[in-house]
Amino acid sequence: MTENIHVIVIGGGYAGVMAANRLTQRDDVTVTVINPRPDFVARLRLHQRVAGTHDAVVGYQDVLAEGVGLVVDSVTRIDAAERTVTLSAGDTLGYDYLVYAVGSGSAETRVPGAAAHAYPIATLEEAQRLRPVLDAAPATAAVTVVGGGPSGIETAAELAEQGRRVTLVCGGLLGPYLHPRARRTVARRLARLGVTVLDGPGTKVTEVTRDVVRLADGREQASDITVWTVGFGVPDLAARSGLSTDALGRLLTDETLTSVDDERIVAAGDASAPSDLPFRMSAYGAGCLGAHAADTILGRLAQEPPAPISLSYPAMCISLGRRAGVFQFADKDDNAVRAYVGGLPGAKLKEMSCAFSVKHLAVEARKPGAHHWPKGDKRRQLLQARRAQAPATAEQTA
């Protein structure tokens, strides 16, 4: 009788679910997903959860392959030597292979007053906390959204479309990833929605109080409700477990997504740092990395050398309320190009992307191994350049 292989997947987000589903290609592999919530969170829609236009959750029965076990709990420690994980409830589970897919959340901020007076929305619990605050506030309440990236833009537009009085404080450039042409389209749409945009030098937030947001240039922005969308952080589980991490706490791996400490541990998604050169955090990237992490384990089980990760980002999409959006195309080096789709077609493409991010998981659940993604050679070039510079750097520091 063939010995059964047990794989534990820590994290039930885009990366974890994709990896778990893909691993079911082998009948001798048993997969258990450990996640602190009983439902899958569609993080791309958390700004809609805040605005009340979508609940941003999907039942695991709709995205997780039949036969994959689900444990609703949190992992407090990984013991790589013993190949066990300890749960917050005190139980210990053993594994043969481990997929580290703990995802990301709000980054800790050192801005005075932000932790006490601002509302982050990077997790379901944070979005749930903010929603009743908005419901209880009058429509005339001053809402300040801090952060000029996709999350900030989407949240500001979603709330303004509902008649909220919104100011978007960018802390620098509005939509820094976007091509200038698409950025102008975003600015025009926000203006039509009535959003006041504060961008450029001097708009970095220096303090948040109960009713004021202070900026680096001395301005004070009245704010009854301050929404914080600046930065992402990762759980410290890997570091607490004695595993090697990068400066932000992401698990360090090689190019096959295998931990530099233990070949039985692979990482995927926002909390992974292959070759200390992590990919851009995104739901799209998480799903692709989750699939590749599963392929690495499947390759080892088949006694085949695992392949290095190859991934390109063809686009970024941003919703601007329910009736407009921007679908920004990119080259294979993940640089925004002139081409983009705006307006209602952009909104439809954004909605399609959100729907597909969940549909891809459901398809993989029914047909494990089906997920494919565009490849790129930028990473290989960056790694080659790094290796070429390493000897010179060593000589200079000798």
Side-chain angles (χ1 to χ4, degrees):
M1 180 178 292
T2 303
E3 183 180 356
N4 191 266
I5 307 297
H6 186 208
V7 181
I8 285 180
V9 180
I10 306 178
Y14 295 100
V17 170
M18 179 62 77
N21 290 344
R22 201 171 183 90
L23 285 164
T24 62
Q25 291 177 77
R26 288 183 61 121
D27 293 336
D28 60 345
V29 171
T30 300
V31 185
T32 301
V33 174
I34 303 174
N35 192 67
R37 306 174 190 89
D39 295 301
F40 174 82
V41 177
R43 285 190 60 183
L44 293 175
R45 296 190 185 274
L46 284 177
H47 64 287
Q48 290 185 255
R49 178 75 181 227
V50 168
T53 57
H54 199 284
D55 60 11
V57 295
V58 178
Y60 273 117
Q61 70 273 11
D62 295 328
V63 295
L64 206 56
E66 185 177 350
V68 173
L70 175 64
V71 175
V72 181
D73 206 334
S74 297
V75 175
T76 58
R77 187 174 185 274
I78 301 166
D79 188 329
E82 296 296 326
R83 293 182 195 161
T84 62
V85 298
T86 302
L87 306 182
S88 62
D91 298 329
T92 299
L93 300 179
Y95 66 83
D96 295 295
Y97 285 91
L98 179 73
V99 179
Y100 187 82
V102 297
S104 62
S106 298
E108 291 187 14
T109 176
R110 297 181 180 179
V111 175
H117 302 294
Y119 293 86
I121 58 168
T123 67
L124 177 64
E125 290 76 16
E126 290 170 345
Q128 289 173 324
R129 173 175 169 244
L130 174 57
R131 180 64 208 167
V133 174
L134 286 165
D135 286 341
T140 56
V143 179
T144 302
V145 179
V146 180
S151 294
I153 292 171
E154 291 184 331
T155 304
E158 202 79 25
L159 294 175
E161 193 173 63
Q162 296 186 337
R164 291 285 178 181
R165 187 159 62 95
V166 180
T167 298
L168 178 61
V169 178
C170 297
L173 194 64
L174 171 70
Y177 177 88
L178 299 171
H179 188 277
R181 295 178 70 240
R183 187 176 301 119
R184 288 192 291 270
T185 294
V186 169
R188 287 194 296 267
R189 174 61 179 173
L190 291 174
R192 291 193 195 101
L193 290 172
V195 177
T196 299
V197 176
L198 303 181
D199 63 345
T203 62
K204 184 177 180 181
V205 174
T206 58
E207 185 181 7
V208 179
T209 71
R210 185 176 58 83
D211 52 11
V212 168
V213 173
R214 294 191 173 92
L215 307 184
D217 61 9
R219 280 181 286 179
E220 293 190 352
Q221 172 66 37
S223 183
D224 297 308
I225 302 172
T226 301
V227 184
W228 197 264
T229 70
V230 181
F232 291 95
V234 300
D236 64 351
L237 175 60
R240 282 190 285 111
S241 301
L243 298 170
S244 298
T245 65
D246 71 357
L248 292 181
R250 292 172 287 208
L251 185 67
L252 284 175
T253 75
D254 63 15
E255 285 297 287
T256 72
L257 304 186
T258 303
S259 165
V260 297
D261 302 309
D262 191 329
E263 71 172 13
R264 296 291 184 125
I265 299 175
V266 298
D270 291 352
S272 63
S275 302
D276 202 12
L277 188 66
F279 289 91
R280 172 160 60 87
M281 291 182 176
S282 68
Y284 159 77
C288 299
L289 291 171
H292 190 88
D295 288 346
T296 291
I297 293 175
L298 292 171
R300 286 207 167 91
L301 292 177
Q303 298 184 338
E304 299 172 353
I309 181 66
S310 180
L311 168 64
S312 67
Y313 289 72
M316 171 188 281
C317 45
I318 299 175
S319 66
L320 299 168
R322 296 298 88 208
R323 295 183 291 275
V326 163
F327 191 89
Q328 171 69 73
F329 291 99
D331 60 24
K332 285 192 174 184
D333 290 341
D334 196 21
N335 297 311
V337 299
R338 286 178 58 85
Y340 74 96
V341 179
L344 184 58
K348 291 182 176 180
L349 286 171
K350 166 66 176 182
E351 178 60 28
M352 186 183 301
S353 297
C354 290
F356 277 3
S357 69
V358 175
K359 184 178 180 180
H360 287 320
L361 301 177
V363 170
E364 190 73 16
R366 296 193 307 270
K367 301 178 181 178
H371 188 61
H372 297 278
W373 59 93
K375 309 300 193 292
D377 59 0
K378 175 187 177 183
R379 185 171 189 83
R380 179 175 54 82
Q381 295 169 356
L382 290 173
L383 291 171
Q384 287 176 343
R386 177 188 285 183
R387 284 193 292 267
Q389 293 172 358
T393 302
E395 291 175 2
Q396 292 170 0
T397 58

